[in-house]
């Protein structure tokens, strides 16, 4: 049995290595297509190595015996995000072709709705898969906000940085780590961030309109985070009634 588990673990780790290899191949194709400079190459390679290292460690800890179809979709999305990251890094020296940049980003955003459906249909939803999906989403928003900020100013970085500020704040105030109730509004706002930033990044609309679109994204995000923080704060101050209840009932919401 131990031999089988070890073999399965090696197979799972091999998938992350294949993902890193595909990431390098995508960078090579981008380099051949646009003549990507050292900044783009180094950033793309750093992204590939970091993704492989973090994901491999997480898989080892979770002891998953199969990588799963949903995680493969998310890994494919991460590879596209790595390409977008390289293009953004390269844009500090030379602007990337808009069609290529928008195409990669659009496919990554579209696939965001695929991996969750695949996980539910195949019954392979896992905490690791959900976390992997969330981290890829958050990093794509951060990269897009960096790109848009070059044309609109540093205030746009608030969009990409807000989630990371929240995570850092949760280390200081543990009540921010409590589970939030499901919210369609939260999911909608999160999905809109990438779409609105991509619209602004494409630069197909007049500059004032792009500024308005980006400001709308920031306003929605501030509202969503503010609502969740307020809910968490209020619930952290609620004292449980002095009656005996099963532990699972106390945590359920």
């Amino acid at each position: 049995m131990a031999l089988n588990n070890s073999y399965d673990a090696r197979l799972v780790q091999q998938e992350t290595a294949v993902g890193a290899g595909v990431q390098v191949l995508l960078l090579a194709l981008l380099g051949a297509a646009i003549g990507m400079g050292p900044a783009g190459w180094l950033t793309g390679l750093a992204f590939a190595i970091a993704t492989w290292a973090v994901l491999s460690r997480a898989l080892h800890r979770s002891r998953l015996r199969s990588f799963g179809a949903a995680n493969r979709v998310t890994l494919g999305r991460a590879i596209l995000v790595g390409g977008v990251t390289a293009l953004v890094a390269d844009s500090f020296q030379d602007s990337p072709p808009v069609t290529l940049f928008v195409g990669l980003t659009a496919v990554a955003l579209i696939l965001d709705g695929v991996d969750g459906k695949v996980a539910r249909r195949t019954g392979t939803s896992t905490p690791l898969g959900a976390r992997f999906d969330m981290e890829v989403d958050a990093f794509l928003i951060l990269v897009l906000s960096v790109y848009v900020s070059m044309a609109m100013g540093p205030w746009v970085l608030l969009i990409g940085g807000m989630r990371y500020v929240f995570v850092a704040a949760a280390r200081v105030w543990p009540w921010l780590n409590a589970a939030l109730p499901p919210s369609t509004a939260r999911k909608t706002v999160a999905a809109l961030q990438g779409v609105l930033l991509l619209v602004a990044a494409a630069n197909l609309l007049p500059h004032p309109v792009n500024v308005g679109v980006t400001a709308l994204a920031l306003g929605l995000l501030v509202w969503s985070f503010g609502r969740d923080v307020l809910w968490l704060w209020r619930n952290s101050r609620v004292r449980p009634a002095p009656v005996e209840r099963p532990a699972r009932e106390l945590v359920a919401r």
Side-chain angles (χ1 to χ4, degrees), residues 191-237:
L192 283 174
Q193 297 305 302
V195 175
L196 295 176
L197 283 174
L198 181 58
V199 169
N203 202 26
L204 299 176
L205 302 173
H207 184 73
V209 177
N210 286 331
V211 172
V213 166
T214 308
L216 174 62
L218 178 58
L220 289 172
L221 197 60
V222 169
W223 170 79
S224 180
F225 268 98
R227 188 184 68 154
D228 286 344
V229 169
L230 182 60
W231 188 93
L232 290 169
W233 179 75
R234 285 175 173 172
N235 279 268
S236 71
R237 298 172 64 86

Side-chain angles (χ1 to χ4, degrees), residues 79-96:
I79 291 169
L80 294 175
V81 171
V84 174
T85 303
L87 290 177
V88 171
D90 194 60
S91 70
F92 284 93
Q93 297 177 339
D94 189 20
S95 298

Side-chain angles (χ1 to χ4, degrees), residues 37-229:
W41 269 104
L42 290 175
T43 304
L45 289 173
F47 179 90
I49 293 170
T51 302
W52 169 79
V54 173
L55 187 55
S56 295
R57 185 178 180 184
L59 286 168
H60 178 72
R61 287 183 172 182
S62 66
R63 299 184 180 277
L64 287 181
R65 299 189 62 188
S66 172
F67 194 63
N71 284 335
R72 292 188 187 102
V73 175
T74 308
L75 181 59
R77 200 153 54 83
I79 291 169
L80 294 175
V81 171
V84 174
T85 303
L87 290 177
V88 171
D90 194 60
S91 70
F92 284 93
Q93 297 177 339
D94 189 20
S95 298
V98 174
T99 304
L100 181 60
F101 178 81
V102 171
L104 285 178
T105 307
V107 174
L109 291 173
I110 291 170
L111 289 177
D112 184 25
V114 174
D115 45 13
K117 292 181 179 178
V118 171
R120 288 188 293 271
R121 288 184 179 180
T122 57
T124 55
S125 298
T126 63
L128 172 62
R131 180 67 182 271
F132 185 24
D133 176 59
M134 180 176 64
E135 295 299 340
V136 172
D137 290 343
F139 194 80
L140 177 58
I141 298 304
L142 176 62
V143 170
L144 288 176
S145 67
V146 169
Y147 184 77
V148 175
S149 72
M150 288 188 280
M152 297 186 190
W155 63 272
V156 184
L157 296 175
L158 292 171
I159 298 175
M162 199 171 301
R163 188 255 175 183
Y164 296 100
V165 170
F166 180 86
V167 172
R171 294 181 177 273
V172 180
W173 298 294
W175 52 267
L176 288 171
N177 287 311
L180 286 163
S183 170
T184 303
R186 185 189 309 119
K187 293 179 180 179
T188 303
V189 169
L192 283 174
Q193 297 305 302
V195 175
L196 295 176
L197 283 174
L198 181 58
V199 169
N203 202 26
L204 299 176
L205 302 173
H207 184 73
V209 177
N210 286 331
V211 172
V213 166
T214 308
L216 174 62
L218 178 58
L220 289 172
L221 197 60
V222 169
W223 170 79
S224 180
F225 268 98
R227 188 184 68 154
D228 286 344
V229 169

